[in-house]
C-alpha cells in the first residue's frame, strides 16, 4: 500500500477512535480517506483483516473493557459512552466476544487483592501531579512485536534519544487477551515543542504519523524500572494501590508513560501517569 493510502486509512481509523460514542456512518468514515464507501471498505479490510464494522465493534468493546476495569461508572452509562444503543446491546456483544457478562468481568477485577509490593515500582517516589494539555507527534505501531518501531523511528529522526534527553511518550488503548497480539496498537510520541522546523519538514513523508493532543489534568505518577509496557501488565499492582489510597481512575483521562534515562535497559526508568479524579 502506498504512503498516501496509508495516511488516509490512518486518518479514518483515528476518526473512528475519537468518535466511538457517536453514531458512526460508513459514508462519513470513508470521506476521511477520500474514497467511496465501497472502495474504502475493500481497502480497510485489506489493511486491517477486519471489516469496518467488525473493527468498530472491537474498539467499542475495548473501550468498554477499559471503563469496566478502571472506573466505577454504571454499566448503563458505559453502554452510552461506547456507542451501544442499550445496556442489553452492550451485554450481548460483550458476552459474545469476551465470554462473560460485563458485570462478571468487572467483578473479576474488583476482586483482585494483589498488593503493590512488585519490586519494579519505586513506591517511595509515587506522587500526584498536574499536567497541562500537550501537543504531540505520534507514530502508530501495530502488533506486540512491533511496539519498539516508534522508538527507532524517532531515533532516526531526532538523533540519539538518550543523549538529547528527548521525552518519549508511549500509550496503548488495547488490552492483551481482548485484542489479538498482532493487532495491538502502540503509539510512541514526542512533544511538538521540541521539534525543529527541519524535522517538521520531514514528517509528512511518514505514513503512520499523526498530530494529537495528550490531555492534561491530575495524575498519579508511578516510576518503575524498565521500558514502557502495555497497561495490562501494570493492572493488578496499580488497582491495588489506587484502592488502598482511596483514589479512582479519571474516565476522561488517558494513561501514558514517559521513558527517561533510557541509555541502557537495566538503567532505564519509566514514569507511568495514571489519570485520577
Amino acid at each position: 500500500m502506498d504512503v498516501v493510502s496509508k495516511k488516509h486509512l490512518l486518518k479514518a481509523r483515528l476518526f473512528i477512535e475519537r468518535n466511538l460514542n457517536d453514531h458512526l456512518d460508513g459514508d462519513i468514515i470513508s470521506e476521511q480517506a477520500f474514497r467511496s464507501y465501497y472502495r474504502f471498505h475493500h481497502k480497510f479490510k485489506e489493511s486491517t483483516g477486519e471489516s469496518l464494522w467488525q473493527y468498530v465493534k472491537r474498539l467499542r468493546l475495548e473501550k468498554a473493557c477499559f471503563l469496566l476495569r478502571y472506573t466505577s461508572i454504571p454499566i448503563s452509562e458505559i453502554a452510552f459512552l461506547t456507542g451501544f444503543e442499550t445496556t442489553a446491546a452492550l451485554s450481548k456483544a460483550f458476552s459474545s466476544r469476551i465470554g462473560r457478562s460485563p458485570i462478571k468481568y468487572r467483578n473479576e477485577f474488583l476482586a483482585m487483592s494483589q498488593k503493590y509490593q512488585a519490586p519494579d515500582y519505586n513506591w517511595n517516589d509515587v506522587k500526584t501531579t498536574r499536567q497541562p494539555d500537550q501537543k504531540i507527534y505520534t507514530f502508530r505501531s501495530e502488533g506486540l512485536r512491533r511496539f519498539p518501531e516508534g522508538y527507532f523511528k524517532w531515533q532516526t529522526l531526532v538523533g540519539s534519544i538518550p543523549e538529547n534527553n528527548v521525552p518519549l511518550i508511549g500509550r496503548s488503548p488495547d488490552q492483551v487477551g481482548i485484542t489479538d497480539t498482532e493487532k495491538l496498537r502502540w503509539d510512541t510520541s514526542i512533544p511538538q515543542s521540541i521539534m525543529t522546523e527541519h524535522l517538521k519538514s520531514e514528517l509528512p513523508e511518514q505514513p503512520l504519523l499523526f498530530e494529537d493532543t495528550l490531555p492534561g489534568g491530575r495524575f498519579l505518577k508511578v516510576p518503575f524500572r524498565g521500558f514502557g509496557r502495555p497497561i495490562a501488565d501494570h493492572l493488578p499492582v496499580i488497582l491495588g494501590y489506587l484502592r488502598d489510597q482511596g483514589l479512582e481512575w479519571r474516565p476522561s483521562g488517558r494513561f501514558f508513560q514517559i521513558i527517561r534515562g533510557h541509555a541502557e535497559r537495566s538503567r532505564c526508568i519509566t514514569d507511568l501517569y495514571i489519570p485520577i479524579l
Side-chain angles (χ1 to χ4, degrees), residues 22-65:
D22 295 329
H23 171 72
L24 289 169
D25 181 273
D27 290 329
I28 294 176
I29 295 171
S30 61
E31 286 174 5
Q32 306 298 313
F34 303 102
R35 282 177 166 78
S36 68
Y37 176 71
Y38 176 81
R39 191 178 177 201
F40 169 75
H41 193 276
H42 175 75
K43 285 288 185 183
F44 190 91
K45 190 167 186 178
E46 180 184 282
S47 172
T48 64
E50 298 173 283
S51 73
L52 173 61
W53 301 113
Q54 285 174 330
Y55 182 82
V56 169
K57 180 179 282 189
R58 177 167 64 83
L59 262 59
R60 282 176 167 162
L61 290 174
E62 282 279 3
K63 186 175 180 181
C65 288

Side-chain angles (χ1 to χ4, degrees), residues 6-195:
K6 287 181 179 179
K7 288 187 76 71
H8 288 166
L9 282 174
L10 176 61
K11 183 179 178 183
R13 292 175 68 177
L14 292 173
F15 177 83
I16 293 169
E17 292 175 18
R18 294 164 180 169
N19 294 279
L20 285 173
N21 60 319
D22 295 329
H23 171 72
L24 289 169
D25 181 273
D27 290 329
I28 294 176
I29 295 171
S30 61
E31 286 174 5
Q32 306 298 313
F34 303 102
R35 282 177 166 78
S36 68
Y37 176 71
Y38 176 81
R39 191 178 177 201
F40 169 75
H41 193 276
H42 175 75
K43 285 288 185 183
F44 190 91
K45 190 167 186 178
E46 180 184 282
S47 172
T48 64
E50 298 173 283
S51 73
L52 173 61
W53 301 113
Q54 285 174 330
Y55 182 82
V56 169
K57 180 179 282 189
R58 177 167 64 83
L59 262 59
R60 282 176 167 162
L61 290 174
E62 282 279 3
K63 186 175 180 181
C65 288
F66 179 90
L67 294 172
L68 288 166
R69 283 185 172 192
Y70 304 131
T71 77
S72 58
I73 295 176
I75 294 174
S76 58
E77 188 175 342
I78 290 176
F80 172 76
L81 291 172
T82 52
F84 289 93
E85 293 185 356
T86 64
T87 304
L90 168 62
S91 296
K92 181 178 179 181
F94 198 94
S95 297
S96 176
R97 184 174 182 95
I98 310 302
R100 48 205 184 278
S101 67
I103 188 64
K104 186 174 181 180
Y105 181 86
R106 167 172 272 174
N107 287 339
E108 286 177 1
F109 288 96
L110 287 176
M112 283 183 174
S113 59
Q114 181 174 342
K115 295 295 183 179
Y116 43 93
Q117 300 303 319
D120 287 346
Y121 297 86
N122 301 330
W123 296 111
N124 291 334
D125 296 328
V126 171
K127 62 181 181 181
T128 58
T129 179
R130 286 199 171 272
Q131 298 290 318
D133 290 353
Q134 191 169 186
K135 295 289 186 181
I136 55 178
Y137 286 113
T138 299
F139 274 119
R140 166 68 56 87
S141 302
E142 284 190 296
L144 191 61
R145 294 182 180 180
R146 301 180 69 180
F147 278 9
E149 282 185 357
Y151 177 93
F152 293 116
K153 285 186 178 182
W154 283 122
Q155 182 91 336
T156 299
L157 277 173
V158 305
S160 173
I161 289 175
E163 289 180 9
N164 294 334
N165 199 30
V166 174
L168 202 64
I169 303 165
R171 297 171 293 157
S172 176
D174 296 326
Q175 311 292 326
V176 177
I178 298 167
T179 291
D180 295 338
T181 55
E182 68 271 15
K183 293 180 180 178
L184 293 172
R185 295 167 289 169
W186 182 267
D187 293 337
T188 309
S189 315
I190 63 173
Q192 290 188 18
S193 58
I194 71 167
M195 296 291 287

